[in-house]
Amino acid sequence: MDTIILADWLSARLDRSAAEPMYRQVLELMQQAILTGQLAPGTKLPSSRTLAIDLGIARNTVLHVYDQLTAEGYVTSTTGSGTYVADTAPREGAVAKARPEEAKKPCTISRRGERLIAQAGVSPKQWGAFMPGVPDVAEFPSRTWSRLQARLWKRASPDLLTYAPGGGYRPLRRALSDYLRVARSVKCQPDQIIITTGIHQSIDLAVRLLTDFGDRAWVEEPCYWGARSVLQSSGLTLVPVPVDEEGLNPTERDMATPPRLALVTPSHQYPLGMVMTLARRRALLEFARQHKVWIIEDDYDSEFRYGSRPLSSLQGLDDAGQVIYVGSLGKMLYPGLRMGYMVVPENLVDSFRTGVAELYREGQLMQQAVLTEFILDGHLTSHVRRMRGLYGERRELLINAIRARFGDSLAVRGDEAGLHFVLELPQYADDSAIAADALAAGVVTRPLVNYYMNRDEALRGLMLGYACVPNGEIAPNFARLAAIIERALTSLEIA
Ligand SMILES: Cc1ncc(COP(=O)(O)O)c(C=O)c1O
């Protein structure tokens, strides 16, 4: 292509009515012409004045384009002699050639990535009736938060705006350790607290620091899909371990090959809702001590218990330093806050503080400082207390709606705590199809089968979150869901 054709070639492609500035259009077109060889290496470009006149655009625009092309290495220019297309194509033989069949294959995601995507449980909808695991974010005391935030921003010191020192804002770690000692009987010093962006990150960090690729990890069957994905995509081999009314119930076969790590939800089994008994807790701790198994205790929602008092943590019973306790502020405050904490055994403190800084380059100290004031001024406790009352009412409204429609024919389980419960369905029901129909009708539920690794043995049911649904919307939304359940069950009974 010679220089005169360049102007024609550009003219034919420029869109003079487009919102995209002329500079960007000319630049991108010329880059494309050079990369595809239409402007061959060594070609002399027209002078900026000539090209500007031929295109009917400002000379400055062309000068900017030439400057950018020079800066990015597409052209070289020497004062006096003009601007030439640079020779940047890889030399023949400089790049190792793949075998023809390899070269033809498209570049795709890894097998690990494929598995993660295929088994993903994350929903496109994160709000509305009956989204499980989500608190009522509309009730968040945003005025109080913004007042504290404004006060802190007025004297924002540089150390609050830079990277966090390993582990997070020290006053927050102190406030959380006081809170966890009292509310959850967690045995900890402020140093043992590591602030993270939530339970997902806490588990990820623990897995990276405590396990090696291919190690075995016990997960409860069923369990939270998000935690399972984090473990699996870190290269662990997952072993689903059954749960019964007393919590985790490993078989002799399971115990014959101890894992490196076990992930459990002792205070409120996720998703079925039972509490691990003291006998099972002691057995698990003893097993962990004997076989050097790390236990991750996911204590995701135990602040919300209705009726009975919250149970102590498993970590509080651990004398051997085998338990990593993880919790989140996502359910107490709002999930988008992305703030959580882990409590690590004393001998791991330095490794975890370095690990968290090295892997994630943590920050958000300003946010952590706001949260510290929020806790110290008593707002966290009063907000959680108020929400417990509100969610308790909503839980009752939903249970009443279920009873009014189905009597005792469909059982509710796991309703003593948390932000959700399970509505059991008969074993012949297709909970996945019911959840899909409900979603199409605007009602979010999660089928129980999604939480199992062995889907053939799954209990059938729907996870119903009530915490984020305003009182007046519970009955009408449940009526829509109930109609879908009834239709599905009747058609299966007839078949
Ligand atoms: C059992 C369990 N663990 C952890 C999480 C996620 O916690 P975070 O938002 O702190 O990552 C959830 C979210 O629903 C959950 O249900």
Side-chain angles (χ1 to χ4, degrees), residues 233-350:
S233 65
S234 303
L236 294 182
T237 304
L238 299 199
V239 181
V241 175
V243 293
D244 63 12
E245 286 313 311
E246 295 189 44
L248 193 77
N249 188 21
T251 60
E252 272 180 25
R253 200 156 153 254
D254 291 327
M255 284 194 280
T257 335
R260 189 87 183 96
L261 178 146
L263 174 63
V264 287
T265 47
S267 305
H268 188 219
Q269 202 278 332
Y270 196 90
L272 297 177
M274 48 281 199
V275 176
M276 193 188 286
T277 57
L278 183 59
R280 288 279 173 84
R281 288 174 191 235
R282 295 182 65 180
L284 179 61
L285 288 171
E286 181 56 23
F287 178 72
R289 196 175 65 80
Q290 294 275 339
H291 299 281
K292 307 289 165 262
V293 179
W294 295 112
I295 299 173
I296 300 183
E297 174 179 17
D298 178 354
D299 201 23
Y300 59 103
D301 71 0
S302 34
E303 284 75 18
F304 300 105
R305 278 204 85 78
Y306 313 105
S308 56
R309 270 178 55 77
L311 275 138
S312 306
S313 62
L314 180 68
Q315 194 269 8
L317 289 175
D318 171 32
D319 290 325
Q322 304 285 138
V323 177
I324 317 291
Y325 175 93
V326 301
S328 180
L329 286 143
K331 306 213 189 298
M332 286 191 263
L333 297 176
Y334 63 99
L337 179 65
R338 300 315 295 142
M339 192 133 24
Y341 40 85
M342 58 199 309
V343 181
V344 302
E346 268 173 78
N347 60 333
L348 295 182
V349 166
D350 288 345

Side-chain angles (χ1 to χ4, degrees), residues 56-86:
I57 63 176
R59 181 168 172 222
N60 250 349
T61 306
V62 180
L63 278 173
H64 280 321
V65 169
Y66 280 18
D67 281 352
Q68 191 61 28
L69 288 174
T70 310
E72 292 184 17
Y74 286 85
V75 299
T76 49
S77 47
T78 20
T79 344
S81 86
T83 305
Y84 293 85
V85 173

